[in-house]
Amino acid sequence: MKTVAASGPWLILGAGSLGRLLACRLANHVELALLARQASRAPLLLTDPAGAQSAHSIARLRLDQAPSTPAMLHITTKSHAVEPALRELAPHIAPATPLVLWQNGFQIQQPLTRRWPGPVLCATTSEGAYADGRDGVVHAGHGHTFIGHLDGEHPGLAAQIAGVLARAGLASAACDDIHRRLWHKLAVNAAINPLVARHRIANGRLREPAFRPRVEAVIAEVARIMDAERIAPPESGWTTMVWRVIESTAGNRASMLQDVLAGRPTEREAILAPLLDAATRHRLDVPALTDLYRHTPE
Ligand SMILES: NC(=O)c1ccc[n+]([C@@H]2O[C@H](COP(=O)([O-])OP(=O)(O)OC[C@H]3O[C@@H](n4cnc5c(N)ncnc54)[C@H](OP(=O)(O)O)[C@@H]3O)[C@@H](O)[C@H]2O)c1
């Protein structure tokens, strides 16, 4: 059956960095509501990558104020917050509402795809955004977004959403290999985020002799796990893929580092636990990843 989005507003659950970015970009293209812990009528202020600012009147509603028949629900909380937030929202919206999961890692994608009564799409994005005060968001850098279903279902819906995102200025494409793309992103995140968070350093310092061998050790373990899981490697190979990201984000402070510095929960479970679980399943010894897991706050 070909699935396309029903009419109705697009809901975005989680008014943090990514949720605000999506809301500001989509505001002139679809009817939408941003679901937050507290309602607010204050406009959202978007700073684009060139530094230009624009104000957007976007209703921020509490979860119990959500319109009951949305076209779809984009979830933009951190991975560990998805299940509790969805439990809170579910009684207020139609049970088969299509979901789009924007989380890094590979923690909630599989269970929700199997359990949720409606279509569940996953998105992986290299857009970069951070929240700026109560009502602001900085779009730090343009990236690319891929959207698809873990089993390649609902391609029409994925294409429709990608088309709207692209028209809204967020380069996007539907894909039939989101499972592989999520694992590739997870591999990059596993090689960079826990190390920079532990040592409180910008990504580029991983090139220094003190850190380079540790990055290489993680890449080697990740490559063995991916091979055992039959996740096809990137065309450039795992090592080149990871070092390219380190080069292109050399000055950045990874989100996990920002979470550690702010005393917030990290996405350790979403990023490292799936690798350790897979290593256990395949009886692989992964000392570098195990050490990273032990030294990364939850
Ligand atoms: N930011 C980026 O550039 C980017 C890029 C690629 C992927 N991602 C991924 O996107 C996801 C979101 O990242 P983010 O940076 O946007 O995180 P974030 O800034 O922490 O935003 C998450 C938002 O969700 C809210 N939230 C959590 N539970 C909620 C609930 N029950 N009800 C209402 N609101 C709730 C949080 O509110 P509280 O703060 O009050 O808990 C917060 O405002 C992560 O998985 C991340 O890895 C982000």
Side-chain angles (χ1 to χ4, degrees), residues 180-189 231-234 238 241:
R180 171 173 176 257
R181 290 178 188 278
L182 286 167
W183 277 100
H184 283 192
K185 180 94 185 285
L186 182 150
V188 170
N189 285 334
I231 306 290
W238 298 109
M241 178 178 72

Side-chain angles (χ1 to χ4, degrees), residues 158-182:
Q160 191 185 4
I161 296 169
V164 174
L165 288 167
R167 284 195 291 284
L170 300 172
S172 302
C175 68
D176 59 8
D177 62 347
I178 195 74
H179 181 256
R180 171 173 176 257
R181 290 178 188 278
L182 286 167

Side-chain angles (χ1 to χ4, degrees), residues 47-68:
T47 305
D48 76 12
Q53 294 196 317
S54 52
H56 302 266
S57 297
I58 297 161
R60 266 166 288 170
L61 306 176
R62 289 193 321 265
L63 277 57
D64 62 348
Q65 300 171 316
S68 58

Side-chain angles (χ1 to χ4, degrees), residues 81-94:
V82 170
E83 294 277 7
L86 194 53
R87 248 195 319 276
E88 193 183 332
L89 177 63
H92 304 289
I93 61 166

Side-chain angles (χ1 to χ4, degrees), residues 12 54 105 232 234 271:
I12 301 172
S54 52
I271 292 167

Side-chain angles (χ1 to χ4, degrees), residues 14-18 37 76-78 81 85 102-104 125 127-129 267:
S17 314
L18 191 58
R37 291 196 194 273
T76 54
T77 67
K78 290 274 175 60
W102 286 81
Q103 287 63 39
N104 277 336
T125 186
E127 298 289 348
E267 291 195 295

